[in-house]
């Protein structure tokens, strides 16, 4: 588990940088579509082309801030990681899934009551 945590920490720093720099190619690596993306009326991201074209629509200021400031927690039963924050009266969580040794991918955004 310590190796997984170290691998994720390295990947997370690279992901944070990619989002901050609007490096869509780095952000989209390993994503499976359609991807759940629950943010207001938006329910999913259908394709990589859609995410690439509308990056700032999907990655709002709130989401970018959460990525820049939150430390993901590991879900011990699945090996996935998650960050949680509150905005506009809802709870939001971004999910990240392991794809293999030291490789992870964004796996969706969930929205729900706080």
């Amino acid at each position: 588990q310590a190796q997984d945590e170290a691998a994720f920490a390295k990947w997370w720093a690279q992901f944070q940088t990619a989002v901050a720099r609007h490096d869509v190619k780095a952000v989209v690596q390993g994503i499976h579509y359609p991807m759940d993306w629950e943010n207001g009326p938006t329910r999913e991201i259908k394709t990589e082309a859609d995410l690439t074209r509308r990056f700032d629509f999907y990655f709002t200021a709130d989401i970018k801030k959460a990525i820049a400031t939150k430390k993901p927690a590991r879900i011990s039963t699945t090996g996935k990681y998650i960050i949680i924050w509150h905005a506009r009266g809802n709870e939001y969580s971004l999910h990240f899934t392991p794809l293999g040794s030291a490789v992870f991918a964004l796996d969706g955004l969930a929205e729900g009551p706080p």
Side-chain angles (χ1 to χ4, degrees), residues 4 8 74 78-81 96-105 107:
D4 290 344
F8 183 82
R74 185 175 187 272
T78 63
K80 291 184 177 192
Y81 287 80
F96 306 90
T97 192
L99 296 180
S101 178
V103 180
F104 298 84
D107 193 31

Side-chain angles (χ1 to χ4, degrees), residues 38-82:
E38 300 174 358
N39 193 10
T42 303
R43 297 288 101 185
E44 70 180 7
I45 300 173
K46 293 184 184 338
T47 65
E48 182 175 321
D50 185 37
L51 176 54
T52 300
R53 188 175 60 254
R54 302 175 68 206
F55 185 83
D56 288 324
F57 172 80
Y58 292 114
F59 282 82
T60 63
D62 282 347
I63 294 169
K64 289 177 184 174
K65 180 181 177 188
I67 290 168
T69 61
K70 299 287 182 182
K71 183 177 185 327
R74 185 175 187 272
I75 301 170
S76 61
T77 56
T78 63
K80 291 184 177 192
Y81 287 80
I82 187 172

